[in-house]
Amino acid sequence: RQKKDAPPVEGGQQELKLPDGYKVWGEMVLLLTDTSVVTNGESLCRFIKEINAPQSRTWDLQVLQHFCDKYLCQEISENFFSKIFPWMAGLAVGATQLPRPRILKRSTNGRVSVAEDHFIGLMSHCFLCTMPCRYRYSMGRSEVKGGSDWKVYTDFAKLKEASKNLADLNFLPLYGVGLGRDKVPNQIEKLKCIFHYFSKAYVNLEEAKKLPENILVVRTTKEAPVKWDQADHLLCDLNIEASKRIEESECALQIDFANEALGGGVIGKGCVQEEIRFLISPGLFFARMVCERMGDADSVTVYGARQCSMYSGYADTFKWEGDHDDATPVSEEQVPHVAVAMGDMLNYMKPSMDKADQYKEAYRLRELHKMYVTLNPNPPLIFSPTTVASGKWGCGVFGGDVQYKLLLQLIAASVSQSPSLTFHTFDNDEEAAAITAFRNTVLSTRRTVREMYTAISSFRPESGKTVFQHISDVFLGEPTQVMSLPPIDTPLGSLV
């Protein structure tokens, strides 16, 4: 067990503590050493309940059982239960005997890495629902998630204080129908991604005997704001990509449209940009494990989270489409050159906010600073990306204006001295055409950050113009025909 009075470590990090009364990690080792009884979905669910008893007596695992018995063909099922699952259980046992991951606290700088086999052991605990339960703060109310896990704690107040800023980890919400029967098809596709991840890891590490890679998480906070109205940096190049996805951008700093709690609803109802990225690149779960919720001046960068699955669709149409072979090279430290930068955006659809709020100075400065911190991790990036791959950051269900958010990202990327910003419209050809027209007219003359910031600061939504039309008027001196996007109240396909 972790010592109760473990001292904080350098860099604002702190050892992950198990609150008093939590018994699973200390007692599960003997239970996990015999997996021979697990041969199908029914016995897997029974095994998960037994190792989590007594708090598991009310757990609903029927979706997990249905998935194992109906979606795993005989060959895959036999391979999983005879080889892969015992291997996962062994790594889970090993994870209880290794140093616990250190928590990167809110509004601090810090970094932590993990070897691939250690991480798979931690993920196996998520799969078995044996990760320490966390106290969740949601929608302004304090509430417990994850069934009745918290009852194993003798002091609930200590549990609450220890983990109130941490996201949930156990996969329990995916295993039952508690999310609603309409979400079961979505849960099945998520489980396909998770099972494929463990199967592929087994082949690579156990059968092919590949050297384990490393995943590195860097947390950054920067309080000093940039003086955007005084910045004379030239705007960087703007590229538009309609068909490729962000994760397909090679040698790029890839932006994750993050939730305040990293991963958002990946183990719940959520299945938009961030959740999908976590499902196809499960190494990102390590950031969810070790990072407290975001502060307004925080960002997180994850190196080494390879993509292992293909997919199609979005939200309720999301589907796992098979294996993805990620050939990204690795560094001397065995870290794949994949960098995912996470910055959380404001939700203008909350009852306490309005879509028009995003154009106010305070919110504009917050979003600019957030993107700037996201593009400038501390320490600097471990490789030199050729572009920033981003898209409709905070649009769609969060109510952001696509045109406005594009220009904010362009400003932040320019001050960060990024070679270019590649804006992905996610198969929306109309948006791609409008942005291309704007670039080829208004941005054909190189503008400075100061000029663009001043121009967007004078935009007023009540004018009836779009952001692109307003900027065109400012820079070109007269109303100019620029292809415009539909108003932000109009649904725009696969928005985040």
Side-chain angles (χ1 to χ4, degrees), residues 90 94 202 226 274 388 465:
Y202 174 81
V226 175
E274 181 178 35
V388 173
K465 298 179 181 179

Side-chain angles (χ1 to χ4, degrees), residues 114-131:
V114 67
E116 187 177 8
D117 49 355
H118 186 186
F119 172 69
I120 296 169
L122 296 173
M123 283 289 282
S124 298
H125 280 292
C126 298
F127 181 87
L128 294 165
C129 302
T130 50
M131 285 292 275

Side-chain angles (χ1 to χ4, degrees), residues 82-136:
S82 65
K83 296 179 180 179
I84 299 171
F85 183 70
W87 175 73
M88 291 166 54
L91 291 178
V93 171
T96 66
Q97 300 165 353
L98 292 170
R100 304 273 166 75
R102 292 171 178 170
I103 299 300
L104 301 180
K105 298 185 73 64
R106 187 184 180 110
S107 302
T108 63
N109 293 296
R111 53 187 288 167
V112 61
S113 63
V114 67
E116 187 177 8
D117 49 355
H118 186 186
F119 172 69
I120 296 169
L122 296 173
M123 283 289 282
S124 298
H125 280 292
C126 298
F127 181 87
L128 294 165
C129 302
T130 50
M131 285 292 275
C133 179
R134 291 173 168 186
Y135 188 85
R136 191 181 196 186

Side-chain angles (χ1 to χ4, degrees), residues 255-272:
I255 303 301
D256 168 52
F257 308 155
N259 189 283
E260 180 189 14
L262 298 181
V266 64
I267 60 172
K269 294 183 178 181
C271 198
V272 289

Side-chain angles (χ1 to χ4, degrees), residues 430-449:
E430 182 182 0
E431 284 183 343
I435 296 168
T436 300
F438 178 81
R439 181 194 63 186
N440 293 344
T441 54
V442 179
L443 300 182
S444 59
T445 300
R446 297 297 294 273
R447 312 287 179 180
T448 66
V449 166

Side-chain angles (χ1 to χ4, degrees), residues 100 117 150 152 203 234 284 299 338 355-356 381 402 418 482 488:
R100 304 273 166 75
D117 49 355
W150 62 272
V152 300
V203 170
L234 290 175
L284 297 176
S299 72
V338 181
K355 287 183 180 181
L381 293 166
V402 175
S418 301
V482 176
I488 60 177

Side-chain angles (χ1 to χ4, degrees), residues 203-258:
V203 170
N204 287 339
L205 298 184
E206 189 67 11
E207 294 185 350
K209 302 298 181 183
K210 291 184 178 180
L211 187 66
E213 296 176 341
N214 294 308
I215 301 170
L216 172 64
V217 173
V218 175
R219 182 162 197 147
T220 302
T221 187
K222 296 179 186 289
E223 293 294 346
V226 175
K227 296 181 179 179
W228 305 102
D229 57 350
Q230 300 178 25
D232 287 323
H233 307 73
L234 290 175
L235 294 177
C236 66
D237 293 337
L238 174 62
N239 306 317
I240 298 93
E241 182 56 66
S243 57
K244 289 178 64 176
R245 299 182 174 117
I246 290 175
E247 62 271 11
E248 295 174 322
S249 299
E250 299 179 356
C251 200
L253 178 61
Q254 302 172 2
I255 303 301
D256 168 52
F257 308 155

